[in-house]
Amino acid sequence: MSNEMTGSEILLRALVEQDVEVIFGYPGGAVLPIYDALFQQNSLRHVLVRQEAGAVHAAEGYARSTGKVGVVLVTSGPGATNAVTGLTDALMDSIPIVCLTGQVPTHLIGNDAFQEADTTGITRPCTKHNYLVKDIKDLSQVVHEAFYVAKSGRPGPVVIDLPKDILQGKGGYTAAPREPRKSYRPQVKGDIRQIETAVELIAKAKRPLFYCGGGVVNSGPRASQLLTEFVRMTGHPCTLTLMGLGAFPASDKQYLGMVGMHGTYEANLAMYNCDVMVNIGARFDDRVTGKLSEFSPNSKKIHVDIDPSSINKNVRADVPIVGDVGHVLEDMMKVWKARQYSPERKALGEWWKRIEEWRARDCLHYERNDKIIKPQYALECLRDRIIGREDAFITTEVGQHQMWAAQFLPFEKPNRWMTSGGLGTMGYGLPAAMGVQVAHPDALVIDVAGESSILMNIQEMSTLAQYRLPVKVFILNNEYMGMVRQWQELLHGGRYSESYMESLPDFVKLAEAFGAVGLRASKPSEVGDLIDEMLAVDKPVIADILVDKAENCFPMIPSGAAHNEMLLGPDDQAAKPISEEGMVLV
Amino acid sequence: MSTEDAAERHTIAVLVDNEPGILARVVGLFSGRGYNIECLTVSEVDHEKALSRITLVTAGTPMVIEQIKAQLNRLVPVVAVRDLTDEGNHVETELALVKVTGKGEHRVEALRIADIFGAKVDDTTLESFVFRLDGQTEKVDRFISLMRPLGLCEVARTGVVAISRGKESI
């Protein structure tokens, strides 16, 4: 047959049909045929990472900043196993990824062949779905279906395992089907009667609160717009989860800041005291709810989620609505307008008065110091220089710096904030920033990092150099795994078991070794100028900010505590012992 | 709080696309999320459409049972999930092969009880029987416990298969 192609060609053609522009990958024996096909075409760009974990996080950054599916290509065995952390990360944070893994030829599967791993077996629990292609006839349809599964409903990672003989075999190509797979059709429109019930509750609420999460971001920029309009229409307060930052403008007066373990005092007390909670695209994660039995004890809960398994998982919803938040918000606004609802102004006024009292506690306050750089101060300096810039994208690693970044940096728009929320993957931020920069070559992309996290995927500095990606790595260097140390202070008598980082590299020299620019600040007076210089350089930068080694991240709801038991600062810490129940929690 | 609710036993029928790894997906879901499986049966039921049916019996609080169903539904190859216990009226049965060895009075008594239970003798030697019995789990349990003092030596059970009563289908 004349229209026969090799498996690799079929694969690439399917990727092009799926609008793929960039692949993050690393070659190896099993995927050589794909790399050979890549070499002979110009539609797809390949970014060569330095380790497969970096490829998946880069694809996550790409996906989160564009709303498109991120694509990864790795070889069999270790290529696939190195991708597992990233896949799990994408599963937890609902990020659409298609990961192509090489596999030994079908006749060798199960033989413990060189670089063989049971990739579909290993990735089954850490993907939304996975495939092993055993017949070239299925290849193009599997790729099309994988993209559909990855991006529809609650997005997530999908693995396609590709035996080498399939890649080298010959077969025909079929275009993407119009009708998706029968057994997987996520519900997009919410039940209108439930929506009416919800809107009535919202309209009659005396102490309402919108609690919104990553689902709003995943639904697309329009969902954020609708959310903003609806919240303004109601005059209600709004808080966001770590995953939701940017879904509602941080500068809005109705915004209470982030909710949860390191969320603001006003957001958490509003959660505790509200009478109607409108959860839009958040999942009552344990970092948000704190002690479940005392979670927002007197509120009716409306829960909008595209994934039915998120509803009634941790917290019982009074009004469950399964659907895409964009569609549901649109319907909610229609109902609100059609029924000419107006907010309960008097009650709402009193509610806002209480909220303002909580807000007046200024929970993000910290002790200023003109000798030592406070990490919060460094972030304030950064904030002042990026505020109002629509092209500023922030990624983070995991730990104290991540929480401070979430607290102090301004997010006015969705898709500007990439952080590992669910899995808490140290080493996420640098490769994620790389993916963001690939998608937005002219944007300002900053990885707010800690000195420990950054070392987990530091090899990707080399990728930045190769592709001239001017990512700025902003390290809040306290020479500790700060969050580990903070918990050791809180729970383990200040015994800093293995949380001190000795023999750290000289980050300035390290930057230079990677062909980047290294900058350092050790005094508060130097921070502003350093950031100006960092932003002016058109190259990758590592900024090493030597911050207060002892600073801890507040406010904090200790594990196992309720929202009204927040610690506001180090003085609070000593007064309240943590329950044994709380000690067990992570 | 839901965690204080009592555990309930539910029989759930799951219609799935018959593709490699589907059973691993279902079983992995249960082990990964810490749910119980009391028993599980699986077989292809429609060769043309390549559909298999998994019947499983699980126990949990109402909130956990709801989660189990939602999580099963989330699997891409799962076509339908039915909670037969919630739907009320359904037929449930399982099959057991029970090997009993012995001589003399015990052997006679075993045969007599098998007859009462309507069990068939699928194999016999001068010193053993293999009985085949079907029925509800409780009936099979009772039969096995009666055989215990009479020389019970081996049991193979299929686990429950179930289907709703009436004209409605999955």
Side-chain angles (χ1 to χ4, degrees), chain B:
Chain B
M1 270 291 293
S2 61
T3 46
E4 289 157 21
D5 291 345
E8 298 169 358
R9 192 166 179 270
H10 281 242
T11 304
I12 296 171
V14 190
L15 203 62
V16 299
D17 287 333
N18 186 10
E19 59 178 40
I22 175 61
L23 189 59
R25 268 180 230 288
V26 170
V27 173
L29 170 68
F30 276 74
S31 65
R33 293 187 182 267
Y35 307 141
N36 293 306
I37 299 182
E38 288 190 4
C39 75
L40 182 146
T41 65
V42 57
S43 183
E44 188 174 72
V45 290
D46 187 331
H47 185 69
E48 228 158 75
K49 292 183 189 160
L51 290 174
S52 286
R53 183 177 174 118
I54 298 172
T55 310
L56 52 88
V57 179
T58 181
T61 63
M63 210 155 156
V64 168
I65 298 289
E66 189 184 335
Q67 261 299 299
I68 290 174
K69 288 182 276 184
Q71 293 290 352
L72 284 168
N73 248 319
R74 212 154 82 115
L75 298 176
V76 171
V78 166
V79 177
V81 177
R82 280 294 160 77
D83 186 336
L84 297 170
T85 305
D86 257 6
E87 289 174 10
N89 232 347
H90 67 277
V91 180
E92 209 171 292
T93 193
E94 69 171 303
L95 185 90
L97 297 173
V98 180
K99 186 178 282 187
V100 179
T101 57
K103 286 180 174 176
E105 200 43 45
H106 276 175
R107 189 170 155 78
V108 178
E109 186 60 18
L111 195 59
R112 193 176 301 147
I113 290 170
D115 190 43
I116 293 167
F117 273 77
K120 300 264 186 325
V121 179
D122 268 4
D123 178 68
T124 183
T125 66
L126 293 175
E127 290 177 27
S128 70
F129 288 119
V130 173
F131 296 118
R132 170 159 51 96
L133 176 72
D134 64 43
Q136 295 208 327
T137 301
E138 296 72 29
K139 177 182 166 189
V140 176
D141 285 347
R142 242 180 19 253
F143 181 75
I144 290 167
S145 69
L146 284 170
M147 287 299 145
R148 195 154 281 132
L150 302 177
L152 177 80
C153 80
E154 195 176 335
V155 178
R157 295 172 76 154
T158 58
V160 166
V161 288
I163 202 163
S164 63
R165 287 184 193 272
K167 62 177 184 178
E168 299 300 319
S169 73
I170 193 164

Side-chain angles (χ1 to χ4, degrees), chain A residues 56-75:
Chain A
V56 190
H57 295 320
E60 286 186 275
Y62 179 90
R64 291 175 73 162
S65 64
T66 59
K68 293 178 65 174
V69 178
V71 181
V72 178
L73 170 56
V74 297
T75 195

Side-chain angles (χ1 to χ4, degrees), chain A residues 79-101:
Chain A
T81 54
N82 277 344
V84 164
T85 300
L87 293 169
T88 312
D89 192 275
L91 183 72
M92 292 286 268
D93 284 349
S94 309
I95 311 303
I97 298 289
V98 168
C99 178
L100 311 163
T101 57

Side-chain angles (χ1 to χ4, degrees), chain A residues 124 128-130 145 149 154 181 183-184 292-293 307-316, chain B residues 1-2 17 19-21 24-25 33 62-63 66-67 70-71 73-79:
Chain A
R124 201 171 285 127
K128 185 170 169 186
H129 194 54
N130 63 16
E145 186 176 296
V149 169
R154 179 178 181 176
R181 180 169 176 156
S183 65
Y184 183 67
L292 264 180
S293 57
D307 177 3
S309 77
S310 280
I311 292 175
N312 291 338
K313 182 168 71 179
N314 303 327
V315 171
R316 177 144 312 271
Chain B
M1 270 291 293
S2 61
D17 287 333
E19 59 178 40
R25 268 180 230 288
R33 293 187 182 267
M63 210 155 156
E66 189 184 335
Q67 261 299 299
Q71 293 290 352
N73 248 319
R74 212 154 82 115
L75 298 176
V76 171
V78 166
V79 177

Side-chain angles (χ1 to χ4, degrees), chain A residues 209-412:
Chain A
L209 178 65
F210 278 83
Y211 147 51
C212 310
V216 182
V217 179
N218 271 338
S219 178
R222 188 171 143 69
S224 295
Q225 258 174 34
L226 290 168
L227 173 71
T228 309
E229 278 174 46
F230 190 44
V231 170
R232 285 179 181 157
M233 207 183 267
T234 58
H236 293 179
C238 176
T239 180
L240 296 171
T241 66
L242 181 72
M243 295 301 297
L245 297 182
F248 186 80
S251 60
D252 197 292
K253 277 200 188 105
Q254 284 168 254
Y255 181 55
L256 304 189
M258 183 173 73
V259 68
M261 185 172 270
H262 293 287
T264 65
Y265 187 64
E266 52 271 32
N268 284 323
L269 283 191
M271 286 288 265
Y272 188 82
N273 290 291
C274 65
D275 70 342
V276 172
M277 180 182 291
V278 193
N279 174 342
I280 306 211
R283 61 181 177 95
F284 293 112
D285 173 80
D286 56 74
R287 294 292 104 153
V288 161
T289 60
K291 191 176 187 176
L292 264 180
S293 57
E294 288 172 39
F295 174 69
S296 192
N298 302 311
S299 63
K300 291 263 187 222
K301 293 165 189 84
I302 297 162
H303 189 179
V304 185
D305 203 303
I306 200 159
D307 177 3
S309 77
S310 280
I311 292 175
N312 291 338
K313 182 168 71 179
N314 303 327
V315 171
R316 177 144 312 271
D318 298 282
V319 187
I321 300 171
V322 176
D324 172 67
V325 296
H327 285 86
V328 173
L329 278 165
E330 202 171 350
D331 287 341
M332 281 181 159
M333 284 164 75
K334 275 188 201 150
V335 172
W336 179 278
K337 285 179 189 157
R339 299 197 175 180
Q340 298 182 327
Y341 283 127
S342 61
E344 295 276 336
R345 292 198 191 285
K346 186 160 171 289
L348 213 51
E350 281 166 33
W351 177 228
W352 270 112
K353 223 175 96 191
R354 281 178 79 184
I355 291 172
E356 290 306 337
E357 280 166 25
W358 296 326
R359 191 145 38 191
R361 290 289 292 267
D362 189 16
C363 67
L364 298 181
H365 170 83
Y366 61 93
E367 293 301 324
R368 276 155 217 276
N369 192 312
D370 54 12
K371 292 199 178 61
I372 305 171
I373 304 173
K374 291 285 181 178
Q376 301 96 324
Y377 171 76
L379 287 168
E380 281 180 338
C381 292
L382 185 61
R383 175 182 66 193
D384 294 344
R385 284 161 180 82
I386 62 168
I387 205 155
R389 277 188 75 160
E390 277 210 9
D391 69 334
F393 294 78
I394 306 289
T395 72
T396 74
E397 310 289 335
V398 169
Q400 288 182 322
H401 68 273
Q402 175 191 29
M403 293 298 114
W404 280 316
Q407 291 171 341
F408 284 87
L409 297 180
F411 298 101
E412 297 292 305

